[in-house]
């Protein structure tokens, strides 16, 4: 299976934030979209329509611990990961999982010839595993029940 197979099953919309937006704006966007990372993307004459970086909840939480509430007024560019690890639509899911594990990340922008075409996340792999479990592991007619702890 390849990244493009996952992308075909997902909503094509990628939530992005501008590097000049504040951390507060980025957090509010993450909350409203129920996501834990944003692609930082800017459109300008020198950069074109390019991925400038990534911003994750982890980046924000760690910086809040170090800097306190003043962080919320800073621009996303002050905290984003520049030159994020990326993948392409033709990469195998095995390769992508290895990248995520090696770099301790849960979100990868998917670039096709330098153009952002999606984001693949650990959540996508969880969904894929759940789909496979439901299709292959559950005996016919047995109900799927999740225990709440």
């Amino acid at each position: 299976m390849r990244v493009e197979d996952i992308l075909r099953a997902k909503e094509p919309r990628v939530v992005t934030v501008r590097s000049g937006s504040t951390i507060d704006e980025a957090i509010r966007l993450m909350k409203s979209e129920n996501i834990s990372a944003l692609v930082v993307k800017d459109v300008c004459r020198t950069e074109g329509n390019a991925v400038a970086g990534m911003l994750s909840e982890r980046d924000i939480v760690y910086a809040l611990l170090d800097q306190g509430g003043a962080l919320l007024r800073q621009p996303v560019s002050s905290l984003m990961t520049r030159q994020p690890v990326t993948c392409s639509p033709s990469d195998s899911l095995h390769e992508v999982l290895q990248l995520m594990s090696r770099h301790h990340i849960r979100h990868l922008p998917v670039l096709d010839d330098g153009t952002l075409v999606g984001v693949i996340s650990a959540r996508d792999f969880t969904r894929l595993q759940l789909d496979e479990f439901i299709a292959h592991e559950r005996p016919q007619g047995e109900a799927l029940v999740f225990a709440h702890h």
Side-chain angles (χ1 to χ4, degrees):
M1 217 174 180
R2 305 230 167 260
V3 170
E4 60 200 352
D5 299 318
I6 297 281
L7 292 181
R8 268 196 293 276
K10 290 179 67 164
E11 179 184 340
R13 181 173 161 263
V14 176
V15 181
T16 63
V17 66
R18 304 282 287 226
S19 64
S21 297
T22 65
I23 298 297
D24 181 76
E25 292 168 325
I27 293 170
R28 291 178 189 283
L29 181 58
M30 286 179 183
K31 181 181 178 187
S32 70
E33 296 288 338
N34 193 29
I35 57 176
S36 58
L38 293 166
V39 174
V40 183
K41 191 173 170 193
D42 281 318
V43 181
C44 68
R45 280 179 278 142
T46 56
E47 292 179 19
N49 196 9
V51 173
M54 287 291 293
L55 180 69
S56 72
E57 285 176 334
R58 182 184 302 165
D59 297 329
I60 294 166
V61 168
Y62 290 178
L64 274 171
L65 183 61
D66 292 339
Q67 300 175 36
L71 173 74
L72 299 176
R73 295 183 298 279
Q74 291 183 22
V76 166
S77 62
S78 70
L79 193 55
M80 71 184 188
T81 300
R82 297 173 190 276
Q83 299 175 333
V85 177
T86 63
C87 64
S88 74
S90 61
D91 287 344
S92 75
L93 297 186
H94 184 258
E95 292 170 313
V96 170
L97 277 171
Q98 285 182 321
L99 275 174
M100 292 170 122
S101 178
R102 185 177 325 121
H103 295 280
H104 306 284
I105 54 178
R106 295 177 300 168
H107 302 85
L108 281 176
V110 182
L111 302 181
D112 190 6
D113 226 5
T115 300
L116 180 68
V117 295
V119 173
I120 192 162
S121 71
R123 185 181 297 175
D124 296 320
F125 287 99
T126 302
R127 280 191 198 117
L128 184 62
Q129 285 180 316
L130 182 58
D131 289 347
E132 295 221 355
F133 172 77
I134 290 170
H136 297 103
E137 297 295 322
R138 186 168 42 109
Q140 196 69 340
E142 182 180 310
L144 183 64
V145 178
F146 290 98
H148 295 284
H149 297 279

